[in-house]
Amino acid sequence: MSTLQFLMDGFSVAFQWQNILFAFVGVLIGTAVGVLPGIGPMSGVALLIPVTATLTAGLPTEAAAASSIILLAGVYYGAMYGGSTTSILLNTPGESSSVVTTLDGYQMAKNGRAGSALSIAAIGSFTAGIVSLLGLVLLAKPLSNVALQFGPAEYFSLMLLGLAAVSGLAGKSMTKALMMTVFGLMLGTIGIDAVSGIARFTYDIPVLYSGLEFLTIAVGLFALGEVFKTVLERDHEDGTMAKIGRILPTKQDMKDSTAPILRGSFLGFFIGVLPGAGATLASFFSYIAEKKISKTPEKFGTGQIAGVAGPESANNAASGGAMIPLLTLGIPGSGTTAILMGAFIMYNIQPGPLLFEDHPQVAWGLIASMFVGNLMLLVLNMPLVKVFAKIIQTPKKYLLPIIIAISFFGVYAVQYTTFDLYLLLACGVLGYLLTKNDFPVAPLVLALVLGPMLENNMRRALTISNGDFSTFITNPISLALLIVAGAWLLVPLLLKMKGRSVVLNEEG
């Protein structure tokens, strides 16, 4: 079957009434999640995994997985759309990838052009979504065919690259990111060993034999962690919201933003494909590129529409690009895709090269639903900009109890154990303490998801080679992946050391 035929089959899944409804609910909640400062796509997706599991309980496994993933992916790219609203109106980024949008977006709003900024962000996001989806359609099948040639040694090295990429680029300190990665790998070893059947780190507590549930830890670290932060730091203040006048952009706005939107879309897509790079890096690169290209770079930061169009397109394209390594290689490139991977595994579906062979209904249904979802987002965002802006003003005293209730009911509905509720609370406190001290939690979640697979592939590779560790470096593909993983960790370190030596020389 051709890629076009697979895509048509995907649309037949995406156009089922329940999947259209799930896509709509996903992008609607995603936009709200993006609009609400502090929640972000990771917390939103983690929070809704147990909800989708409950909603799809009566469906066959394959159909339930397709519907759940369609809704969760809708939340992911919907949150990327919504994140620009608070950046432009309140000078408060809805999530980290919208930080750059505040630089010119808020200035435009102060100059009475909030409507133009919001509509250009929506148009740029839609264009970027379509560009990244076309890339996903064209690259998904060829990449998965290449990945089918991978053996256990190549998979081990590939997963090591995924961990190194996120550790190398997450947070301000690489050391802290690596510590979080190791902590996640350690948590992943709790439970009965799949190969030997021996209980590890369970301390004769029966509930630990099945290991720690990924869902409980993800919801605790992200959603409850944010709740604790808001409560303990008394973060109740609301910014002053700029007024929205004309919503549709002028002809000049469209002319000034067309090239930045296209550049941001392609740049964001290719950065999103790289494991660990993510939407935040894409939006920063796009802003820097637009400033370099501009004939008037000094005007950036005073309300240039290119400073909104480029980064907003880039961060949305990156979210589509990040789906490629997840679906084709089974390597989540960001914290949110790591949580999505956990959702796949909950339904006994392993993302990776065999996904397109064994579960085409889920893989192509998801891709087709993203086309539908992006169209829904454009239709929702343009006329309802003022409505979504009102969500920003939701008092925290109403919002926080809702998040806590969804967290506890959701986890209990999936796990049915009080142990998981205690673990949820503990992870909430831990999430708050970690983020307060600049320890990134995304590497921990990624390591928890990848850890068991990393270990299994290493053991399989060593079994095949009779315990010879050289199998990881004698295999060309495995060696290349290990070199890239090493470079991903070492290059930022070397650049930092070089920067310090330059500063010392100047001071000397």
Side-chain angles (χ1 to χ4, degrees), residues 418-447:
T418 50
F419 169 79
D420 276 85
L421 297 182
Y422 290 125
L423 180 62
L424 179 71
L425 263 176
C427 287
V429 175
L430 184 67
Y432 164 68
L433 292 172
L434 289 172
T435 49
K436 183 178 170 65
N437 293 288
D438 288 325
F439 283 90
V441 287
L444 189 156
V445 172
L446 188 63

Side-chain angles (χ1 to χ4, degrees), residues 57-69:
L59 297 171
T61 307
E62 193 92 349
S67 297
S68 292
I69 301 296

Side-chain angles (χ1 to χ4, degrees), residues 79-399:
M80 291 298 180
Y81 260 69
S84 61
T85 308
T86 44
S87 296
I88 291 165
L89 297 178
L90 282 178
N91 201 27
T92 307
E95 23 80 32
S96 60
S97 60
S98 295
V99 170
V100 185
T101 311
T102 60
L103 302 176
D104 281 276
Y106 186 60
Q107 295 301 320
M108 283 183 71
K110 281 170 71 178
N111 297 337
R113 297 172 64 207
S116 292
L118 287 165
S119 56
I120 283 295
I123 292 165
S125 298
F126 173 74
T127 308
I130 298 302
V131 167
S132 66
L133 280 167
L134 289 172
L136 185 57
V137 168
L138 294 171
L139 293 176
K141 200 78 177 78
L143 263 178
S144 63
N145 289 336
V146 170
L148 280 171
Q149 312 303 318
F150 280 29
E154 290 92 342
Y155 262 113
F156 168 79
S157 301
L158 185 64
M159 286 170 189
L160 210 59
L161 169 61
L163 288 175
V166 171
S167 301
L169 292 169
K172 297 173 186 174
S173 165
M174 191 194 291
T175 308
K176 288 180 177 179
L178 285 170
M179 286 168 70
M180 288 293 94
T181 304
V182 172
F183 185 38
L185 290 172
M186 288 166 67
L187 291 178
T189 60
I190 295 171
I192 292 177
D193 176 25
V195 178
S196 65
I198 295 168
R200 301 186 296 187
F201 308 109
T202 56
Y203 306 103
D204 295 325
I205 301 169
V207 78
L208 289 178
Y209 289 159
S210 58
L212 296 179
E213 177 57 38
F214 151 83
L215 169 69
T216 308
I217 290 174
V219 173
L221 287 174
F222 293 111
L224 274 194
E226 201 58 47
V227 169
F228 280 119
K229 182 188 173 191
T230 306
V231 172
L232 295 172
E233 296 185 3
R234 303 184 186 278
D235 182 21
H236 305 298
E237 66 275 359
D238 296 310
T240 308
M241 195 169 83
K243 289 182 179 178
I244 303 172
R246 177 194 168 105
I247 289 175
L248 293 174
T250 62
K251 284 184 180 178
Q252 189 60 43
D253 286 338
M254 288 302 297
K255 187 181 173 185
D256 292 342
S257 57
T258 302
I261 284 172
L262 292 173
R263 280 193 293 266
S265 299
F266 285 101
L267 180 68
F269 173 73
F270 287 110
I271 289 174
V273 170
L274 299 172
T280 306
L281 201 69
S283 61
F284 271 98
F285 275 159
S286 174
Y287 190 82
I288 292 163
E290 291 308 320
K291 200 170 178 180
K292 290 273 184 191
I293 292 165
S294 174
K295 291 175 183 175
T296 54
E298 69 281 353
K299 288 188 178 178
F300 274 72
T302 62
Q304 286 287 88
I305 202 156
V308 174
E312 275 303 306
S313 304
N315 72 33
N316 280 274
S319 66
M323 298 297 278
I324 287 183
L326 172 68
L327 297 178
T328 61
L329 303 173
I331 297 294
S334 65
T336 314
T337 47
I339 292 168
L340 278 174
M341 185 172 179
F344 273 105
I345 292 166
M346 267 180 64
Y347 290 97
N348 292 320
I349 292 173
Q350 178 62 58
L354 291 173
L355 177 68
F356 290 86
E357 301 292 327
D358 297 345
H359 307 283
Q361 181 186 350
V362 177
W364 289 103
L366 169 62
I367 292 170
S369 78
M370 288 171 78
F371 277 101
V372 178
N374 266 283
L375 193 59
M376 285 177 176
L377 277 168
L378 186 68
V379 173
L380 272 173
N381 274 261
M382 291 296 281
L384 298 179
V385 157
K386 292 184 180 181
V387 176
F388 283 121
K390 288 282 180 190
I391 296 173
I392 298 167
Q393 296 166 313
T394 306
K396 297 273 175 73
K397 63 182 178 180
Y398 300 128
L399 188 64

